[in-house]
Amino acid sequence: HVPGLSGSSPRLGGLLSREADAGFPPVDATLAPFREAFDWEAARKAGRVVPKERANDEYDAARRRLLEVDAGLQQELSRWRRELRDSSIELWTPSVANGQTTEPFQLAVAEKTLQKQGTPEEFAQQMSSKKGTKRFWTAELRELAGEHLEAKAAEEAALAAAAKQLFARFSAQYAIWRNAVSCAAELDCLLSLARASSAAGMCRPAFVAEAEPFLHIKQGVNLCVQSALSDGQCIPNDIRMGPAPDGAGGGGEG
């Protein structure tokens, strides 16, 4: 509530009021659960809602499972780096247009390493190659790759379900958001009119209590058109909408 506005500007005072069933609705308590549910900044950057830890049990479980599988993949990578004494060995995943490869995490080993250390029996399934490098799946990697794909799909499903639940909770508070947006939009209009009317050559409108609404503008200028013109000069026009009693003012000339 802003002291003094209720008398000098009842409409503006009403919009800024935080009293129950009047003006801008109190949204802090309603927004609090949404602020705790996910990282807003991360959602802005990623374009998707990812629940914070402990905010959604289903997503937490799916995420834990995916991390467990990925940890197993890293253990398998470390094993072969030790076995072949080559820290440059890596897990390679082919790039595909839709990002949904069915053959991820191939063990990429330099041919010179294989020549020096020999090709292990576990490397019976060669998946792909490029100059100087061969890529393999061991039985363990094949199994872990499949588990990763399943865990990733489960995570995506849990993520979609969590977002759906979040949007449903948000929509349940529709009346609050509608009132808040309505107040904010009207405040924006009033502030824009106040700023425009204070510019040189402009004026403030005069409001008249009449049974039928009307709008009279003398020497009016469209601010959007004016700002779009290189010299800022446009021809003013009079506008008369609706009946008005003789002598009624629709605003000072400007």
Side-chain angles (χ1 to χ4, degrees), residues 90-215:
E90 61 182 5
L91 292 174
W92 179 84
T93 296
S95 298
V96 292
N98 60 9
Q100 297 179 349
T101 177
T102 58
E103 297 179 344
F105 307 114
Q106 299 173 24
L107 200 64
V109 186
E111 289 182 351
K112 62 180 182 181
T113 298
L114 296 174
Q115 292 168 1
K116 181 180 179 180
Q117 303 293 341
T119 302
E121 293 181 0
E122 292 90 339
F123 288 10
Q125 185 177 6
Q126 181 175 332
M127 303 299 296
S128 59
S129 65
K130 71 172 185 177
K131 187 176 180 180
T133 303
K134 291 184 178 181
R135 306 185 185 108
F136 304 89
W137 256 1
T138 63
E140 292 82 0
L141 278 175
R142 185 189 304 109
E143 183 178 354
L144 285 168
E147 291 178 2
H148 171 88
L149 293 175
E150 291 178 2
K152 187 64 178 176
E155 182 195 40
E156 289 297 323
L159 196 61
K164 186 176 181 179
Q165 294 169 10
L166 194 68
F167 297 152
R169 286 167 52 197
F170 188 88
S171 297
Q173 304 295 334
Y174 168 77
I176 293 178
W177 313 133
R178 178 198 58 199
N179 293 341
V181 170
S182 177
C183 285
E186 191 168 346
L187 283 170
D188 181 57
C189 289
L190 291 175
L191 289 171
S192 298
L193 288 171
R195 182 174 181 179
S197 66
S198 64
M202 300 297 173
C203 66
R204 295 179 60 187
F207 295 94
V208 180
E210 293 292 338
E212 294 189 45
F214 68 92
L215 173 66

Side-chain angles (χ1 to χ4, degrees), residues 201-206 216-219 249-254:
M202 300 297 173
C203 66
R204 295 179 60 187
H216 286 186
I217 299 177
K218 296 180 180 180
Q219 298 292 294
E253 293 190 8

Side-chain angles (χ1 to χ4, degrees), residues 6-113:
S6 57
S8 61
S9 180
R11 185 61 186 171
L12 185 57
L15 289 172
L16 295 175
S17 171
R18 299 298 296 273
E19 298 176 3
D21 300 324
F24 200 96
V27 297
D28 293 343
T30 309
L31 276 176
F34 296 99
R35 294 189 185 281
E36 296 300 321
F38 65 96
D39 187 324
W40 289 33
E41 187 59 33
R44 256 185 227 105
K45 293 179 180 178
R48 65 191 313 191
V49 172
V50 178
K52 289 183 178 179
E53 190 175 359
R54 293 188 295 277
N56 184 285
D57 293 341
E58 183 181 353
Y59 176 75
D60 285 348
R63 183 63 182 166
R64 281 194 301 270
R65 174 56 183 156
L66 181 61
L67 292 175
E68 289 172 1
V69 174
D70 287 351
L73 286 163
Q74 290 304 313
Q75 289 176 3
E76 190 68 7
L77 173 62
S78 298
R79 171 198 169 189
W80 287 111
R81 283 177 172 176
R82 291 192 305 270
E83 291 274 351
L84 299 177
R85 300 179 182 180
D86 183 357
S87 61
S88 69
I89 295 173
E90 61 182 5
L91 292 174
W92 179 84
T93 296
S95 298
V96 292
N98 60 9
Q100 297 179 349
T101 177
T102 58
E103 297 179 344
F105 307 114
Q106 299 173 24
L107 200 64
V109 186
E111 289 182 351
K112 62 180 182 181
T113 298

